[in-house]
Amino acid sequence: MALLLVLVLLLAVSQATADEDPYIGVNIGTDLSIMPHPTQVVALLKAQQIRHVRLYDADRGMLIALANTGIQVMVSIPNEQLLGIGQSNSTAANWVARNIVAHYPATNITAICVGSEVFTTIPNAAPVLVNAMKYIHSALVASNLDNQIKVSSPLASSIILDSFPPSQAFFNRSWNPVMVPMLNFLQSSGSPLMLNIYPYYDYMESNGVIPLDYALFKPLSPTKEAVDSNTLVHYSNVFDAMVDATYFAMAFLNFTNIPVIVTETGWPSKGDSNEPDATIENANTYNSNLIRHIINKTGTPKRPGIAVSTYIYELYNEDLKPGPISEKNWGLFDANGDPIYILRLTDSGSLLANDTTNQTYCTAKEGADPKMLQAALDWACGPGKVDCSPLLQGKPCYEPDNVIAHATYAFDTYYHRMGKTPNACDFNGVADITTTDPSHGSCIFPGSLGRNGTMVNITAPSMNSTSSDSPSWNFHGGGGFASVLVVIKVMLWSVILS
């Protein structure tokens, strides 16, 4: 019994540690002329292994699409709703009932952003900001959700004055009557301070004082690093300096145990003629270096080894955003789900798999014996339990109606279902692994992003599954009499295996 208790405690500690690991999330803006359907958005998130997202509202369609995915979701109260919620406890309670309680826990909501950059965008609402946060929190307490869902409000980094050297940083004192109660609330509720950090704008507005490499996380020699004259600590990038400035600014007000989450950061991939550094190369460099910096738990000079979880701005380019061209080009993907650039993340796991070094497919081997291909196809759609219904006549993958094309679809589906192990792409020597996406037209293969980021749903069970509700009835639609024979074969397999 004692041993069992120790094992349980060890498991709990291990789980807690895993939950505390820093993560990369993505913001999902919706100012697109053709916004993908919520199910398409979620398909893209899944394909890219994105496990944390922030919404700028609490859109019902998105929350339903995110249900049962395990993806952790930050929802937001838009600025235009802030005054109403900040002046009425019942309005806040109704908002929580409608947008949180109605979806949780199927949708894994973990935080509520009350407004965004309120001090700098709608300062007239700032006096009710803390009330709004407290009212929302009270509604969560009433629903017994306050431990699972935290409440905060993203701040613009410009609220921190004298941000370098970080040890001298402090919040704009004119906002102290709001900041101090807000920090008290965050501390008492165990919520993080949320901060938006944009080294791109810091660089653009510095008139050459901030070097581009320092803004982009590029390696610097010690002589080129920025040095805090008070602590003699070296800083190699704007991001870390701003995070540490935030910690120092909170400490200046006697708050030392509030964690920081970066709710927005990124770099535009395109700009106007007066924005020469808004380029695909720089955007790729910044976001790739940022992701490695967070995932590797580099931390900051003030808190080495303690990285801050960070949300990239943003998932899609938003072509309807007003302002300069750069405002429309912060996205990692276009509206079709195609990457704007291929992130360089070979050492950072499977997150944001638009790094094509990890994308492989299983296809029919060129020159393979058609009879052996047909036998392998029959096996895949029968005992292999692949859902071959897309190969039926009239379905997306029916054309071209030949054994090579149909076998390739079945092989690749099985290969992805089995975790892309080399042994899963053999089929008695008639299959090969390739990095070329075999998708064509409306036939989107497993593991492939199609138009609008849709992804084939792989439902084939493991090879040793004998469940009677497995999709063993699906078959190769080869056309004519051959199709009938395959249907009979698969029905026989279904009877044998059920």
Side-chain angles (χ1 to χ4, degrees), residues 270-276 278 323-326:
K270 188 178 180 182
D272 288 323
S273 57
N274 62 342
E275 299 176 296
I325 289 177
S326 61

Side-chain angles (χ1 to χ4, degrees), residues 247-294:
Y247 285 126
F248 277 109
M250 286 194 287
F252 187 81
L253 296 175
N254 296 315
F255 295 92
T256 57
N257 60 350
I258 299 173
V260 172
I261 285 182
V262 176
T263 35
E264 291 180 18
T265 193
W267 197 280
S269 60
K270 188 178 180 182
D272 288 323
S273 57
N274 62 342
E275 299 176 296
D277 296 298
T279 65
I280 283 179
E281 176 61 26
N282 287 342
N284 193 344
T285 298
Y286 180 83
N287 283 323
S288 295
N289 287 342
L290 167 76
I291 292 169
R292 278 193 294 269
H293 188 68
I294 301 301

Side-chain angles (χ1 to χ4, degrees), residues 28-357:
I28 304 177
T30 57
D31 284 344
L32 286 75
S33 52
I34 304 176
M35 180 66 198
H37 189 274
T39 57
Q40 296 170 326
V41 177
V42 171
L44 179 60
L45 297 175
K46 287 181 177 180
Q48 296 296 321
Q49 300 291 306
I50 296 169
R51 308 300 301 162
H52 299 82
V53 298
R54 176 183 170 220
L55 309 180
Y56 286 95
D57 50 26
D59 180 75
R60 181 173 177 271
M62 274 303 305
L63 291 176
I64 290 173
L66 286 161
N68 304 310
T69 62
I71 295 171
Q72 297 190 26
V73 184
M74 272 190 188
V75 297
S76 300
I77 296 173
N79 285 346
E80 57 267 24
Q81 297 179 27
L82 186 58
L83 279 172
I85 288 174
Q87 294 173 338
S88 169
N89 204 347
S90 61
T91 300
N94 288 336
W95 190 94
V96 168
R98 186 172 64 254
N99 298 295
I100 306 297
V101 177
H103 298 282
Y104 188 90
T107 303
N108 190 12
I109 301 169
T110 57
I112 300 171
C113 301
V114 181
S116 181
E117 301 188 347
V118 173
F119 298 108
T120 48
T121 56
I122 51 164
N124 63 304
V128 302
L129 175 59
V130 177
N131 271 350
M133 295 167 71
K134 288 181 177 178
Y135 289 158
I136 292 293
H137 183 257
S138 294
L140 292 174
V141 170
S143 297
N144 200 28
L145 294 176
D146 53 303
N147 287 327
Q148 300 94 318
I149 302 172
K150 299 304 178 182
V151 178
S152 190
S153 183
L155 304 176
S157 60
S158 59
I159 195 173
I160 300 172
L161 303 182
D162 219 1
S163 60
F164 203 93
S167 60
Q168 291 181 193
F170 57 92
F171 293 112
N172 186 330
R173 289 186 177 91
S174 64
W175 290 115
N176 277 3
V178 180
M179 275 303 305
V180 172
M182 179 177 170
L183 292 172
N184 267 317
F185 168 80
L186 296 179
Q187 183 171 264
S188 64
S189 63
S191 297
L193 182 136
M194 296 177 173
L195 188 72
N196 296 342
I197 298 178
Y198 285 102
Y200 172 75
Y201 291 126
D202 294 331
Y203 163 74
M204 288 288 289
E205 295 164 6
S206 73
N207 295 317
V209 173
I210 294 178
L212 180 61
D213 287 356
Y214 181 67
L216 290 173
F217 283 98
K218 284 189 174 181
L220 300 175
S221 65
T223 57
K224 291 188 176 181
E225 292 177 341
V227 181
D228 186 318
S229 55
N230 298 314
T231 63
L232 301 183
V233 166
H234 285 235
Y235 285 89
S236 60
N237 61 79
V238 173
F239 183 91
D240 282 352
M242 188 55 69
V243 170
D244 276 0
T246 307
Y247 285 126
F248 277 109
M250 286 194 287
F252 187 81
L253 296 175
N254 296 315
F255 295 92
T256 57
N257 60 350
I258 299 173
V260 172
I261 285 182
V262 176
T263 35
E264 291 180 18
T265 193
W267 197 280
S269 60
K270 188 178 180 182
D272 288 323
S273 57
N274 62 342
E275 299 176 296
D277 296 298
T279 65
I280 283 179
E281 176 61 26
N282 287 342
N284 193 344
T285 298
Y286 180 83
N287 283 323
S288 295
N289 287 342
L290 167 76
I291 292 169
R292 278 193 294 269
H293 188 68
I294 301 301
I295 299 301
N296 294 344
K297 303 182 186 178
T298 307
T300 67
K302 179 173 170 57
R303 298 191 174 193
I306 305 175
V308 294
S309 295
T310 299
Y311 290 76
I312 293 175
Y313 184 84
E314 56 185 335
L315 187 63
Y316 295 113
N317 276 343
E318 296 185 89
D319 62 310
L320 297 182
K321 278 276 188 183
I325 289 177
S326 61
E327 280 296 309
K328 310 172 193 294
N329 289 278
W330 290 80
L332 299 171
F333 298 89
D334 64 20
N336 291 325
D338 296 322
I340 304 301
Y341 44 86
I342 304 300
L343 289 163
R344 299 184 281 262
L345 300 175
T346 51
D347 299 323
S348 299
S350 57
L351 174 74
L352 285 162
N354 68 5
D355 178 353
T356 55
T357 55

Side-chain angles (χ1 to χ4, degrees), residues 444-490:
I444 310 302
F445 277 54
S448 167
L449 293 180
R451 296 184 62 192
N452 294 324
T454 55
M455 184 180 176
V456 172
N457 182 24
I458 306 165
T459 56
S462 61
M463 285 186 70
N464 58 5
S465 170
T466 57
S467 169
S468 60
D469 59 359
S470 301
S472 54
W473 48 267
N474 291 302
F475 52 86
H476 160 50
F481 184 65
S483 290
V484 176
L485 289 178
V486 174
V487 173
I488 294 171
K489 286 181 187 178
V490 176

Side-chain angles (χ1 to χ4, degrees), residues 361-385:
Y361 307 89
C362 181
T363 60
K365 185 179 289 186
E366 189 174 349
D369 185 324
K371 291 182 179 178
M372 290 186 68
L373 280 176
Q374 183 66 57
L377 172 59
D378 292 345
W379 182 89
C381 296
K385 299 298 185 69

